[in-house]
Amino acid sequence: MKNFKIRIGILSICLLGMSGLVITSAFSAIIKSFPNESVTKIQMLGTVPGLGTLVTTLFVGVLATRFSKKLLSLIGIFLIGLGGLLPIAFHSNVNLLLAFGVLMGVGLGFTTPIYPMLISIFFDGDDRVEMMGQSTAFSSLGSIIMVVGGSTLGAVDWTHTYYIFAITILVFFIVLFTLPNDHVPVQPTSAAGPAQKKPNTLEVVKKLNKYVFVIVGITLIMSMVYTIFQTNLSIILASKALGGTSAAGIVNAIGTVGGLITGFSMKYIKRLFKDNILVAGFASLMLTFILIRFAGSLAMAMVGSFLSGFAMATIMSTLPYYVSLVTSGAELAIAMSLFQFMNSLGSFFSPMVLGAFHISSGNDAFFVGIIASAVMGLFCLFGRVGKHVTKQGVQEKAKRSVVKD
């Protein structure tokens, strides 16, 4: 297998992608430990890492043009571990736990844009497609390991949930010994000779291929729509008397399995759907909302959830792959950072957008999900997004070859 050590290093980073969800399994115990704190404030422990991630992704792309991505990955892993392990010793104050959650989110803000950059640097063609898929699979696998492991450790004392973050120590050393130091990108060579100064971020953004902005726009909408599914699933199931929290957990787990299987099969799925892979992803997401919205049994909801995993894995591995086709060097770093920023922004604003339009939770929110998924699928189909991006990728590669020669 090509670049086996590098694969191990990159995929180990992906295991930490869902670290912010670990403490959600301990919410009920934390609420009992802090009876004077509002439930909403305690629930923020599961969302506040997203704030740290959102802020960090604004500048990590710039840092990636100046420093080795291996170094930035190690910094991110260290911060995730620090934010996850400090609560073991300091857990008497919810505000302090929130601060540690932000710190963890800052670490995730380093790692989540960096690993697709690393994949783009070290892998090409089908290998890159396969690695993008495997990255989403390992993110799902990491979610299972960390959430289940954390809840098991915290069964007796909720503070022990945080012990699962000891895994960051292992990941740190795996990355340290498996990833090589990549070359820091510089400005492209011009007719006047090679540039000596570091690229100006604003100039890089202005020079980005127009399809980068199409891709990050799709990313924003996808993130908002998928968040509708995540935040309304348990409400839908409860309204249909299909089960409570435990049933929602089972249905969510089926979705994770769907993402795992899809992620490990991306190379073959790409060959099947070719340039219409985004269309297939949004069609699958639309079916997810339809099946669960009109589900008459838990089994039907499980099928819908499995399709949500397929949709998430196909779309969120294809979008960064498309970014990698039309960018390189400093442009790649900035574009991947922009991709991750839009992904975080969509998740953050999704509930606010529904609230602004007075769309009720549950059935009404899922109906919006059906319409939005259908619209995005049609946009990708009739806009021939995949075909145009692939064509642009070939042209960009030819240009880089000419410059290099």
Side-chain angles (χ1 to χ4, degrees):
M1 185 180 290
K2 182 181 177 181
N3 295 333
F4 179 73
K5 283 179 62 177
I6 297 176
R7 284 176 184 263
I8 296 297
I10 294 174
L11 293 176
S12 67
I13 299 173
C14 299
L15 289 173
L16 304 178
M18 300 293 184
S19 298
L21 298 177
V22 170
I23 198 59
T24 59
S25 63
F27 275 170
S28 59
I30 298 174
I31 291 170
K32 291 179 181 178
S33 295
F34 298 98
N36 296 324
E37 296 285 1
S38 69
V39 174
T40 301
K41 186 175 182 179
I42 290 173
Q43 287 177 324
M44 285 178 63
L45 292 172
T47 59
V48 77
L51 179 61
T53 302
L54 188 65
V55 173
T56 309
T57 50
L58 286 173
F59 60 82
V60 74
V62 178
L63 292 177
T65 67
R66 291 163 168 76
F67 301 98
S68 162
K69 293 166 191 62
K70 175 180 179 178
L71 174 62
L72 296 178
S73 298
L74 291 172
I75 292 172
I77 296 165
F78 175 78
L79 293 176
I80 294 170
L82 193 64
L85 292 172
L86 280 175
I88 296 173
F90 307 100
H91 49 256
S92 60
N93 186 292
V94 174
N95 291 328
L96 198 57
L97 294 177
L98 289 171
F100 293 147
V102 172
L103 181 62
M104 184 194 307
V106 170
L108 288 168
F110 275 91
T111 58
T112 48
I114 290 296
Y115 71 74
M117 295 183 204
L118 290 168
I119 292 172
S120 302
I121 290 169
F122 294 111
F123 298 90
D124 289 306
D126 284 348
D127 287 328
R128 185 181 296 180
V129 173
E130 184 178 32
M131 276 296 292
M132 288 293 185
Q134 288 180 359
S135 69
T136 62
F138 268 73
S139 182
S140 297
L141 180 62
S143 174
I144 295 173
I145 293 172
M146 296 195 74
V147 173
V148 174
S151 60
T152 301
L153 290 170
V156 176
D157 187 332
W158 66 266
T159 62
H160 293 175
T161 302
Y162 287 103
Y163 278 111
I164 194 63
F165 284 97
I167 195 174
T168 58
I169 300 172
L170 175 62
V171 173
F172 184 92
F173 284 105
I174 290 175
V175 171
L176 181 64
F177 293 116
T178 59
L179 283 186
N181 278 308
D182 55 290
H183 294 292
V184 179
V186 295
Q187 283 183 318
T189 303
S190 65
Q196 299 300 317
K197 63 179 182 179
K198 296 295 182 180
N200 178 278
T201 304
L202 185 58
E203 290 178 0
V204 172
V205 172
K206 289 180 179 179
K207 292 179 181 178
L208 286 175
N209 188 290
K210 64 180 180 180
Y211 281 101
V212 170
F213 299 102
V214 174
I215 295 164
V216 298
I218 295 173
T219 302
L220 176 66
I221 302 302
M222 170 58 185
S223 180
M224 295 177 69
V225 175
Y226 192 75
T227 300
I228 293 175
F229 166 72
Q230 291 180 309
T231 55
N232 288 273
L233 176 62
S234 61
I235 297 172
I236 287 278
L237 295 179
S239 69
K240 294 178 177 296
L242 296 178
T245 303
S246 59
I250 293 171
V251 174
N252 262 319
I254 297 297
T256 303
V257 172
L260 270 171
I261 295 173
T262 304
F264 285 119
S265 308
M266 270 305 299
K267 183 166 65 174
Y268 308 104
I269 294 171
K270 177 67 167 62
R271 291 175 184 173
L272 176 63
F273 292 105
K274 298 182 173 62
D275 293 333
N276 286 320
I277 191 166
L278 288 180
V279 179
F282 280 111
S284 178
L285 189 58
M286 181 184 68
L287 286 174
T288 292
F289 284 112
I290 291 174
L291 288 172
I292 298 179
R293 167 68 174 77
F294 299 102
S297 66
L298 193 60
M300 191 172 175
M302 289 179 180
V303 173
S305 184
F306 184 91
L307 289 174
S308 78
F310 175 88
M312 184 63 172
T314 52
I315 296 172
M316 296 311 287
S317 62
T318 299
L319 291 173
Y321 169 70
Y322 281 169
V323 170
S324 74
L325 289 181
V326 296
T327 58
S328 63
E331 290 183 356
L332 173 65
I334 299 298
M336 283 298 183
S337 184
L338 186 59
F339 162 78
Q340 187 55 48
F341 175 76
M342 287 298 187
N343 187 23
S344 301
L345 192 68
S347 298
F348 186 76
F349 277 111
S350 182
M352 299 180 191
V353 172
L354 292 182
F357 285 95
H358 306 290
I359 297 170
S360 303
S361 300
N363 288 334
D364 289 348
F366 261 49
F367 183 73
V368 171
I370 294 171
I371 300 301
S373 300
V375 169
M376 291 307 298
L378 291 172
F379 171 78
C380 293
L381 177 63
F382 292 108
R384 297 189 296 177
V385 174
K387 183 176 181 179
H388 287 310
V389 171
T390 303
K391 182 178 178 181
Q392 286 286 312
V394 173
Q395 293 175 355
E396 290 293 328
K397 187 174 182 179
K399 289 179 183 178
R400 291 194 291 270
S401 297
V402 171
V403 171
K404 186 176 180 180
D405 293 340

